[in-house]
Amino acid sequence: MASWLGGLGAGLGQSLVGQVGGSLSTLTGQISSFTKDMLLEGTEEVGGVGTDFGVSNSNLRDIENTYATLRSENERLKKVCNDLEEKHEAAELQIKQQSIEYRNQLQQKEVEISHLKARHHALQEQLQTVQTAAQSAQLGAGVSPSTTTSASFVPVVRHASSGFQGDDMDFGDVIWSQQEINRLSNDISRLETEVEHWKKIAQFSKLQGSSDTDENEICKLQNIIKDLKQRLSQEIDEHQHELSVLQDAHRQKLTEISRRHREELGEYEERIEELEDQLQKGAGIGLQSNMAESKAARLKELEDEAKIINQKLSSAAEEKNLVLKELELVKKENSQVTQEYERLKSEFSKLPSPVPKDQAGLEAQVEASQQAVQSLQAEVLQLQQALLDAENEITRLTRPDQEGFQKEGASLHPQYENTTRMSTEGQNLELSQLRQDLERKQHEFNEIIAEKETLLAELEELDKQNQEATQHMIILKEQLSKQNAEAANTVNQLKMNTDSEKRKTSKLEAEKMEMKEELEAQREKLSQCTFALNDLHMTKQQLETKIKELEEQLKKSQDSNSKNKQEIVEIKKTLKCREEELSVVQNELTKVNQQSNSSDQDLSIKEKEISKLNEQIAENKLVSKDLEKSVSALQIENEKLHITCEDLKQQLQEANSGKSKIAFEKDTMLEALKIEKGRLESELDQAESRLLEQAHKYERTIEELSNARNMDTTALQFEHERLVKISQERDFEIAELKRNIEQMEADHEETKEMLATSLAGQKQLTELIKEKEVFVEKFKARASELEQEHDIYIKDSKQLERLKQHLEEKDRSLSVMKEENNHLKEEIERLKDQQSRSAPLAEPKTLDIITELEAEITQLTVLKNNLEEEVKLNNRTFEDQNQKMSQLQQTLEEHKKEIEESKCQHEQMRIAHMQVCLAKDEEIKSLQGTIEQIKTQLRNQSHVIQPDPSNLFQETKVQTLNGENGNEKHDLSKAEIERLVKGIKEREMEIKLLNEKNVSLSRQIDELSRDEVGKLMQIIQEKNLEIQALHATVSSSSYRQEVLYLQQQLQAYAMEREQVLAVLSEKTRENSQLKTEYHKMMDIVAAKEAALKKLHEENQKLANEFGSSSQDMSRETIKNLSRIIREKDIEIDALSQKCQTLLTVLQTSSMGGGNELGGINSNQFEELLQERDKLKLQVKKMEEWKQQVTTTVQNMQHESLHFHEELQRLQAQISSDCENSSKLQVEYNGLIQNYEQNEQKLKMLSQELVHVQHSIGELSNTKNVILEKLDMVTPPVPVISSTSEQPLALTSNSASQRLTTEVKPLKEELEHMKKTLQEKDATIRTLQENNQRLSDSMAASSERKAQEVSELEIKHLKEKCDVLQKSLREKDLLIKSKSDQLLSLSESLGNKENENEVLKQAVTNLKERTLVLEMDICKLKEENDKIVAKCREKETEFRALQETNMQFSMMLKEKEFESHSMTEKALTFEKLLKDREQGKTGELNQLLNEAKSMQEKAVIFQQERDQVMLALKQKQMETSALQNEVQHLRDKERRLNQELERLRNHLLEREDTSTREALASEDRESKLKKKVQVLEEKLLSSSTAVENASHQASMQVESLQEQLNLVTKHRDETVLQLTISQEQVKQYAMSLANLQMVLEQFQQEEKAMYSAELQKHQRQTAEWKKKAEQLEEKVISLQESLEEANTALDSASRLTEQLDLKEEQIEALKREGEIKQEMLEDAQNKLMNLINSTEGKVDKVLMRNLFIGHFHTPKNKRHEVLRLMGSILGIKKDELEQLVLEDQKGVTRWMTGWFGGGTMGSKSVPSTPLRPTHQSIFNSSFSELFVKFLETESRPTLPPPTLSVHDMKPLGATGIGKPSTNCPGSIADPTGPGTTKRPDANPFLAPRSAAVPLISPANLGTSGSGHLLMKPISDALPTFTPLPVAPDASAGAVLKDLLKQ
């Protein structure tokens, strides 16, 4: 469809574009030429009569030519129109065909819908009839059936629209119709099932009405079923109870074992520590014991390694088995998928005439199945990879096992020797150290000897222990050898397994390749679909473009039509004019005729001319008529073209709509394919991720195993013992499992024998298999969930490890930073002390050092804060991770419990299966007993009667036939039984596999949790060690370390407090959550109990009804049958005796006749016997069935009892949980109290912290005061030689004369600057005075206080040491108390966590119980369904029994008839005997023959009667079926008639519409004809209008040409302006680039400066760090020596510790004194050097600023500036006053000279920019503009300061002076620290050498945002002094000047 439409559209488009376009263009060209000619003719004037005629002739010729061209064009257009019409017709035909097809399809669908609706109605009617019949039957029988009708069924009928709503019916309607069909078909199938159900009920009710006796038996059977069910439920409950008890016992045992294990571990650790201490004390004597212990440890390690390898091998084997089983499962699922696919195919083939939508749905189903297959194949790939990994692991493990045992055996001896040597060397070193200590402390020697004697006694004990250990080692070696042998066997087995697995993997790889090929094929299909879609889109675009072109052509044609109309109007006007001229000419001619009477010749000539003129006029008229005709024809053709265009538009719209529908369908298909593709990709990604995760798992397991080797020997011993115990338990479990397997095999054999006889067991087994399948699926889902959770758990653990590493790094960096900070603080304090004692010695260098140190401190504080924030963040993340871990552990525990529950259910199923098997065995035994009884009876009867050989032969034939049938049935049942047994075995194998998988997963999870616990313990131990180290440092280090330690402790306490608070809040939240969950669980349990009670009541009701009815019925039937059989047996015995007597009589009389009679009797008798046997068999079957029902009822009773017990147990547990919660509440309240106490203690600590901070604040205040004083001090400034600058002034005189003209605009700025200078002069004076005072005081005090400083320092240090020792002791006590409190808090927290865990476990237990209850409810529901199904089966069986009963009754009637015949025969025989006695033998024979014939006839009549009866019944059934069919057919006829009427109506409507359309078309034709006439009339009138329009058009054209000329001029001007502006832009860009280069150079220089300074600081800090590290190392070594001495000398530890502490303190103080003396000497030397170097020197920058400031001050106050300069240079006051007087006389010349020198250097005063009046803005260069911009920006935005000199603050007080707020770069001038910093009033006065910060400081008032160029230069950029630019100067020159600067 889409391709056809595309082709049609393309063809139409090409033809229309090619032909119509060309014709229209030619038409328009000719018409335009025609109008031009007409306009030209209009402008010309007729000069006379002759000229007029010539013009008219030429016009006529032109018109004829145009007419000819128009005619040819018209013919061509007609051809084009014909072609287009033909194409249109073809397109219409195709569209009609397609619409017909669609209509047919829609009609079919409607017919289907109607059929389905009719069927729906019929089924509803049948249902109603059946329901009514069932109700009547129930009322008649008086028994209410147990089954309930589906009341939910309500028929919903949608009345579809009868008629079509146009040709283009929407596809949505088709889809809806298909959905309706599907819905109706589903309804019909449902109704059919319900009808069958009601039919069965009706038949059953009829049968009940016929036989009321069976109801009692049914009731009895139902009661039996109920009893059996109760028993079953009781047994299940008992089993579940036992399981729960066992689980609880197992948990308790586990907890006890783990507790014991922990206690033993603790004891052993303590014992190890004691032994190590003893060994250190008596090193010389304990060599042998060490060697023995090392041997024992080595052997233990080997044993542990062997155990680990065995575990690895076993785990690998388990994984391999799991993988194999998963492969089998996958194969089975594949087979299931293929079966489903085939079933779908068959359903698809069965469906009648499927619509494309149906096919699409089926294709979607097929694709879904393919996707499922693909997912399964992805799983297969995963399993393959897992197999490969397992194989690799096995190979890897086997190699190191074999090699490791060989190497270890060889390396034991050299290792032993090495250990002895190492131990001897180490102990020698220790002995030497001890001897040195002993030499120092001889007075303590006696005590050590006493201790040695005690040690010897202990060593003897150790020797004894060592001997015991060696014996134990020998035993372990033997065990290891045995285990090695076992391991070798297992390795061989694993190798065999791996080979088989490799083969399987190769097969799987082949399957994988096939799947890949299929995937590629699907991808190719996808790509094809995408290509097709792209093609469709392309065609759509082409069609749209064609439509646009057609529309444009239509517009053009309309325009040309309007132009044609105008031209026609003009032509008509010209014709009128010509006619008027002709009339004028005629009038003139008449006048001429009157005048020319005289001249006849002239007249004749004139007459000829007139005649010629008349002929010409006639010809003109004819031509005009022809033209009018042609115009009218053209109009008609034009209208036709319009109509065709409209038709084409409609067709295009239709095509577009069809195309849009097709595109929509394609889009939907594409989207579906995309979704499928995405799903496939996601599945592939998931598979890859799973593989990666598995690889990670294996790697982790390998790492864990490698880590496990490095465990301690004691822990390994305990683990070994535990593993031995576990292995023993596992052996017991394996033995039990083997016994179970043997029992199961025996059970299976019994079930095989039992199922051969009974088919009822098959159904139960199938149900069991279904349940097991459900369980297996659940297990699979749970296993997958567990794997996913395990993966998540592993990821979380990885993140945790990363975070821990990050935390450790941060901790280290923090500690380093804190140490550095403390060192710096100590240095600052030392410097403060020096400054306070020696104020005059504080020279500029020390100030520099202080400022640098302060800058470093600020940086370090910032870093410290950042690090602290990071640490907090890391702690938070760590806590989150811990929470996630706990949640994951909870989920894992829940999954474990679910697995245990599934195991319990599996065991219950197995028990039920066993019970069924036992019941079947009993039935088999009873049947065998009955068979033996029957055999004995048959033998007895065979002795009594000996039948004829012919009859016997017939009987044997029948028996053989029956036997064959029986054997066939037997074989069938056997095959089914075997199949079922296999299925059961497979399911059990799957269950075992899943159990193993769960066990392995749980193991992995346990290992992971252990590892994490171990890691956390390690972290805690590390922290403890750090705390101990800090304690040691506190006892030995000086004041700075104490302060550091206290701060760290306080921070740690604060952190711990926050953590404790967070943990408490979390615990409270968890507690509340647990409580809410507990309440929810209680509600759920109550709801479940109520539901259970209801189900129990329903079950009891059902069981009572069913049991009572079935039992009564069965008992009554059996009694009746037995009574009838007995009566018949008695009759048969009597008759047989009679027959025997008669036979004997007859045999004596005659041989032939007697034989015949005997044959008859024997046949009948044997038939009766066979019938009796059959009846007995049926009775036995009934009895067996009764027994089965009783067993099921008993089981049900047991189940109900068990449920009751469970409920009681649950209630008890709930009460216990309530008690636990109350206990938890109490404990929680206690915790809160503890927490409040801790908070109070923390408050105390915080108060102490505040005191410490207050003291630190005071110190910082004193520091700030000293810094302010130092800032006030300025050293003497070096004198700048004026002689060097005089020649510059002389040379620049010529330049200054040029600049005098430009100075005027600068005067305003100068005045402004003078004001600022005056204020600054005042500040400079005050500063100078202060400076002089300070220098005098420093000089005086430096000599006095130099000697006193050292003595004061020593005294202060001693005092400080005493104070610090006291404070240290107090702090130690405080810290100990706090640590104790912390420990108690942590213990309470741990208790709370344990309690929370207990609560969680309780909640999980409740959840498990609820799940169990839900499962039980599901089971009960399933059992209910089963009971209902069984009831239905019993109903069918009862019907069969009733039919057999009927047959029995028929048989009985026959037997009665036969007995009658026998009595008649006996009478006849008696008569015959009498007659024979009389001698009438001939008559006897005749009578006998007659009797035989009569008997035969009677038999035939009986058979015929039976046949007729059966035929009658069949006919009745057939008639009822035929009646139903007749009713169905009638309904069908009625519906068909309705449809026929609807179709007729539809056809009539279509005919009416077609007739209406025909009439409408005729009306249109008539209207169009009228329109043509009107247009012809309009043409005449339009010819006159054309002339006027042409004149106006010419005028407009002229005006437009004028406008065009103006526009072109304007455009040229704009182009020129553009080029100029572009050139300017280029220039600007060049200048900007140059400026940027300059800026970059400056920035690079500044960066280099800063980097150099930074490197200096870093070097200094590194040196300090190294020194600190060395000191710390020394401290640590001293601590270690102290600890050793303490352990060795416990008795004399107190005295020695005090002595050592004092000695160390003295040494430390001495060292510190020496260091401080050295530092003082260095500082003094530096100060002396500075004083020597700075005497007689002046700061250049200061002098330059003063010099420039001199010119900015007003003339009145310049002498003050000069005085300031003189005072700095050391000039006397008298000399200064003389210089000032001279300066006032000749200042102008000096000024001009200076301004002349401004061009040479960079020290010129900035000049104001030129006014715009001088020169235009456009001609000025970019550099000039930039300079102006800089000047304008540099002007201060603030108003001029109004403060007086006294109000000004000193520089130290401003924000610039403070180093804490500024960045390090802007601390001080590089020239010296003594220089004063002036406020930034004028940034151009800053020196070029001064380092300008790139980032503006916070104190300045400038805005932080904006571009660098837009900011003031003082803030952002290095300052350039602006140059005064002359108007004639070029941009290049200015740039060069800038670059020079």
Side-chain angles (χ1 to χ4, degrees), residues 1520-1533:
S1520 63
L1522 284 164
Q1523 281 171 0
N1524 290 327
E1525 284 178 356
V1526 164
Q1527 282 178 357
H1528 190 62
L1529 287 164
R1530 279 175 191 165
D1531 293 332
K1532 271 191 180 176
E1533 281 176 355

Side-chain angles (χ1 to χ4, degrees), residues 102 105-106 109 169-179 181 355-357:
Y102 276 113
Q105 283 184 353
L106 285 165
K109 291 287 157 196
M169 189 176 176
D170 195 15
F171 282 98
D173 295 337
V174 178
I175 293 155
W176 176 81
S177 63
Q178 188 59 45
Q179 288 172 353
I181 289 156
V355 191
K357 298 284 167 189

Side-chain angles (χ1 to χ4, degrees), residues 688-832:
E688 286 172 358
S689 64
R690 281 176 196 163
L691 288 168
L692 285 166
E693 283 167 2
Q694 283 179 353
H696 287 307
K697 273 188 210 169
Y698 289 126
E699 284 172 2
R700 282 192 206 97
T701 49
I702 289 153
E703 285 172 0
E704 285 167 7
L705 289 164
S706 62
N707 289 326
R709 286 184 183 179
N710 301 323
M711 283 167 72
D712 294 331
T713 54
T714 53
L716 284 164
Q717 275 183 353
F718 288 125
E719 279 198 340
H720 177 256
E721 287 169 3
R722 191 168 58 75
L723 286 164
V724 167
K725 286 175 188 174
I726 290 157
S727 64
Q728 286 171 0
E729 287 170 2
R730 290 283 157 82
D731 289 327
F732 286 126
E733 284 174 0
I734 289 153
E736 284 172 359
L737 286 165
K738 281 178 183 175
R739 284 171 206 156
N740 289 328
I741 288 154
E742 286 169 2
Q743 285 175 2
M744 289 293 284
E745 283 172 357
D747 293 338
H748 282 309
E749 286 169 1
E750 287 167 3
T751 48
K752 279 179 189 176
E753 291 167 4
M754 179 268 289
L755 286 163
T757 55
S758 64
L759 289 162
Q762 286 179 9
K763 290 172 186 176
Q764 291 176 357
L765 283 166
T766 49
E767 286 167 2
L768 278 168
I769 286 154
K770 283 175 188 173
E771 286 171 0
K772 281 187 180 178
E773 283 173 352
V774 171
F775 281 128
V776 168
E777 285 168 358
K778 283 178 186 174
F779 274 123
K780 281 179 189 172
R782 282 176 189 166
S784 62
E785 284 171 2
L786 277 167
E787 283 176 351
Q788 287 169 4
E789 285 176 358
H790 191 248
D791 297 337
I792 292 156
Y793 193 76
I794 287 155
K795 285 175 187 173
D796 288 332
S797 65
K798 278 185 187 172
Q799 285 179 354
L800 260 174
E801 284 170 1
R802 285 176 201 156
L803 283 165
K804 282 172 188 174
Q805 288 171 3
H806 192 62
L807 254 174
E808 285 168 1
E809 288 169 2
K810 293 287 174 188
D811 287 328
R812 286 169 198 160
S813 59
L814 236 180
S815 63
V816 171
M817 292 300 292
K818 280 175 183 175
E819 284 167 6
E820 287 173 4
N821 203 350
N822 289 317
H823 284 304
L824 290 164
K825 279 178 184 175
E826 286 163 13
E827 285 173 7
I828 288 154
E829 284 168 4
R830 189 160 52 71
L831 288 162
K832 279 177 192 171

Side-chain angles (χ1 to χ4, degrees), residues 522-667:
Q522 282 181 353
R523 281 175 187 161
E524 285 172 0
K525 283 178 188 174
L526 253 175
S527 61
Q528 286 170 4
C529 289
T530 49
F531 287 135
L533 248 178
N534 290 325
D535 293 332
L536 278 168
H537 283 300
M538 291 293 286
T539 49
K540 186 182 174 182
Q541 287 171 1
Q542 286 173 1
L543 282 165
E544 284 172 355
T545 50
K546 282 170 189 172
I547 288 154
K548 284 175 185 173
E549 286 169 4
L550 284 166
E551 283 172 355
E552 287 171 1
Q553 286 171 4
L554 262 172
K555 284 176 186 173
K556 285 176 185 175
S557 63
Q558 284 170 0
D559 294 330
S560 62
N561 204 350
S562 62
K563 285 176 186 175
N564 283 329
K565 283 175 185 175
Q566 287 172 2
E567 284 170 2
I568 287 156
V569 170
E570 286 170 0
I571 287 158
K572 281 180 181 175
K573 283 179 184 175
T574 50
L575 279 166
K576 281 179 182 177
C577 293
R578 291 290 156 81
E579 282 171 358
E580 285 170 1
E581 284 173 1
L582 279 167
S583 62
V584 171
V585 168
Q586 282 175 353
N587 290 323
E588 285 175 356
L589 280 166
T590 52
K591 287 175 185 176
V592 168
N593 283 322
Q594 286 172 6
Q595 288 172 3
S596 63
N597 290 320
S598 58
S599 57
D600 293 322
Q601 291 175 353
D602 294 330
L603 272 166
S604 62
I605 294 156
K606 297 280 181 182
E607 280 171 0
K608 287 175 185 176
E609 284 176 355
I610 287 155
S611 62
K612 282 178 184 176
L613 282 163
N614 284 322
E615 285 169 2
Q616 283 177 354
I617 287 154
E619 283 173 2
N620 280 325
K621 280 179 182 176
L622 287 163
V623 167
S624 65
K625 283 176 183 176
D626 289 331
L627 276 165
E628 283 172 358
K629 285 174 186 175
S630 67
V631 166
S632 63
L634 277 164
Q635 281 180 348
I636 291 154
E637 283 172 0
N638 205 348
E639 283 174 357
K640 283 180 184 174
L641 280 165
H642 272 295
I643 292 154
T644 52
C645 283
E646 284 171 359
D647 292 332
L648 282 165
K649 276 184 183 176
Q650 287 176 357
Q651 287 170 17
L652 279 165
Q653 285 172 359
E654 287 169 2
N656 278 324
S657 63
K659 191 179 78 181
S660 66
K661 286 169 190 173
I662 292 151
F664 178 71
E665 287 173 0
K666 294 282 177 185
D667 287 329

Side-chain angles (χ1 to χ4, degrees), residues 320-334 376-377 379-385 387 500-509 511 990 993 997:
K320 188 192 77 178
N321 292 324
L322 288 168
V323 167
L324 286 166
K325 284 161 188 173
E326 282 176 354
L327 271 170
E328 286 171 3
L329 287 169
V330 167
K331 282 176 185 174
K332 283 172 190 172
E333 285 172 353
N334 267 322
L376 288 167
Q377 284 164 355
E379 284 181 359
V380 168
L381 289 168
Q382 286 177 9
L383 293 167
Q384 285 172 7
Q385 286 187 350
L387 265 171
S500 62
E501 280 168 1
K502 279 175 185 173
R503 290 166 197 157
K504 284 174 185 174
T505 47
S506 62
K507 287 177 188 174
L508 285 164
E509 280 172 356
E511 285 175 358
E990 284 173 357
L993 279 171
K997 225 183 199 179

Side-chain angles (χ1 to χ4, degrees), residues 368-380:
S369 64
Q370 284 175 356
Q371 284 176 3
V373 170
Q374 285 168 3
S375 66
L376 288 167
Q377 284 164 355
E379 284 181 359
V380 168

